Amino acid sequence: MVVPSLTPEELEALEILADPCKWAAIELDWHARWYQEEMMKATSNRVVIRAGRRVGKTDSMVVKMLHKCYTNNDFRILVVTPFESQIKHIFDRFRQLIRKSKNLQASVIRDIRSPNTIEFGNGSRIIGFTAGTTSGGGAANVRGQGADFIYLDEADYLSDDDIDTIISVAYEDAERIEIWATSTPTGRRGRFWEWCTRKELGWQEFHYTSHVNPNWTEAAERDARNNLTELGYIHEILAEFGDMAEGVFRRKYVEKAAGLGKEL
């Protein structure tokens, strides 16, 4: 079989399509910061991103998902968040970026808001749901959905029941279907904490404090220190789990006491 040779221009075009950051720079005029590029190029099919506020983790995922749809036929993306306001924000951002690209605009064949769904001419689609965490429904509205890529935004605010339902979608083909989860930590010792701390579970973790944002200034730091509690600063800015918010005693002392008890 004779393989046709490619021109330098064709090779360059393929290189751009293969790289979500290069593609976004040309197609969307969106330029990744160093840490956004680092996490967007993760190779694992289980990725967890623990990051402080204003780092741009959600924006990175929006760009990555658009790239997935643009470069794959019949690609199904499922976006799940704890709250309706987050789904609205994410899909508003999808639409803003699509308007920057004539190619993406031309490829959209359906765009609805209930549930938020964007479908492309190549058969790919993005559909968004809220998990219904506060109702205790265990993300019931996600049941029966199919996906090739699952994105959990603010995953540490999802209940364990929500997450059980959502990730079960991937059991259709666990080796192929990707799950990406981003969040600022709440301090809760739930699934998000396990994905970040239990390396044997196989999740590739990225951790960034708010300080990586090039727009973070001394004034922003001072404001955060003055207006957040110590625990709030640990969670929101340093993206550390710290101590759980509930309880009378600090976790480290409880764990230390438990260890001493075993020794006795």
Side-chain angles (χ1 to χ4, degrees):
M1 179 180 176
V2 177
V3 179
S5 59
L6 299 176
T7 66
E9 292 78 13
E10 289 171 330
L11 287 171
E12 182 182 9
L14 285 175
E15 182 183 340
I16 290 169
L17 285 175
D19 186 324
C21 297
K22 289 182 179 179
W23 173 82
I26 292 172
E27 194 70 41
L28 307 174
D29 193 27
W30 185 91
H31 302 275
R33 299 164 182 163
W34 68 266
Y35 57 89
Q36 290 175 314
E37 182 169 356
E38 185 176 71
M39 60 188 175
M40 288 172 69
K41 291 184 177 180
T43 56
S44 174
N45 73 342
R46 297 290 183 272
V47 176
V48 60
I49 298 167
R50 174 166 55 103
R53 297 296 176 192
R54 313 312 303 167
V55 164
K57 54 188 180 296
T58 300
D59 216 42
S60 303
M61 293 301 99
V62 166
V63 170
K64 184 175 181 68
M65 288 185 280
L66 286 175
H67 176 259
K68 287 279 190 182
C69 287
Y70 188 84
T71 56
N72 293 277
N73 294 328
D74 302 313
F75 197 80
R76 303 163 299 167
I77 293 179
L78 179 62
V79 180
V80 186
T81 71
F83 308 111
E84 184 66 33
S85 59
Q86 292 164 295
I87 279 290
K88 182 180 184 302
H89 168 72
I90 289 170
F91 274 79
D92 283 349
R93 188 58 176 146
F94 278 133
R95 293 170 180 121
Q96 287 173 0
L97 289 173
I98 287 170
R99 287 196 293 270
K100 289 189 171 187
S101 165
K102 291 182 179 179
N103 290 325
L104 279 172
Q105 285 187 71
S107 68
V108 173
I109 60 171
R110 188 166 177 249
D111 183 350
I112 61 175
R113 296 177 184 269
S114 184
N116 272 285
T117 305
I118 299 174
E119 294 183 4
F120 301 89
N122 63 357
S124 295
R125 74 171 191 188
I126 308 170
I127 184 167
F129 291 100
T130 55
T133 295
T134 55
S135 67
N141 55 356
V142 178
R143 295 182 187 277
Q145 295 295 324
D148 301 294
F149 185 98
I150 300 169
Y151 171 53
L152 310 181
D153 188 66
E154 293 297 357
D156 207 18
Y157 291 84
L158 294 166
S159 73
D160 289 349
D161 285 343
D162 292 336
I163 291 175
D164 281 345
T165 300
I166 297 161
I167 65 174
S168 68
V169 173
Y171 297 158
E172 175 188 334
D173 189 344
E175 292 296 318
R176 177 183 59 82
I177 298 172
E178 295 180 63
I179 304 176
W180 287 55
T182 67
S183 194
T184 298
T186 66
R188 187 172 67 91
R189 267 48 177 180
R191 292 297 177 78
F192 184 77
W193 176 79
E194 290 180 349
W195 296 339
C196 291
T197 60
R198 294 182 56 192
K199 302 307 178 186
E200 70 272 17
L201 296 180
W203 288 70
Q204 183 179 4
E205 184 203 15
F206 295 89
H207 173 218
Y208 306 104
T209 71
S210 295
H211 305 106
V212 298
N213 184 339
N215 298 318
W216 190 263
T217 62
E218 290 184 8
E221 178 71 13
R222 185 167 56 252
D223 187 72
R225 296 259 184 199
N226 289 339
N227 291 289
L228 294 173
T229 64
E230 180 183 356
L231 189 59
Y233 185 86
I234 289 170
H235 291 164
E236 302 290 319
I237 307 303
L238 300 183
E240 297 286 359
F241 287 98
D243 289 335
M244 295 178 67
E246 66 271 21
V248 177
F249 302 104
R250 290 172 66 89
R251 168 169 286 267
K252 66 180 181 180
Y253 298 133
V254 174
E255 292 174 345
K256 183 177 181 180
L260 290 173
K262 290 178 181 179
E263 293 176 4
L264 293 174

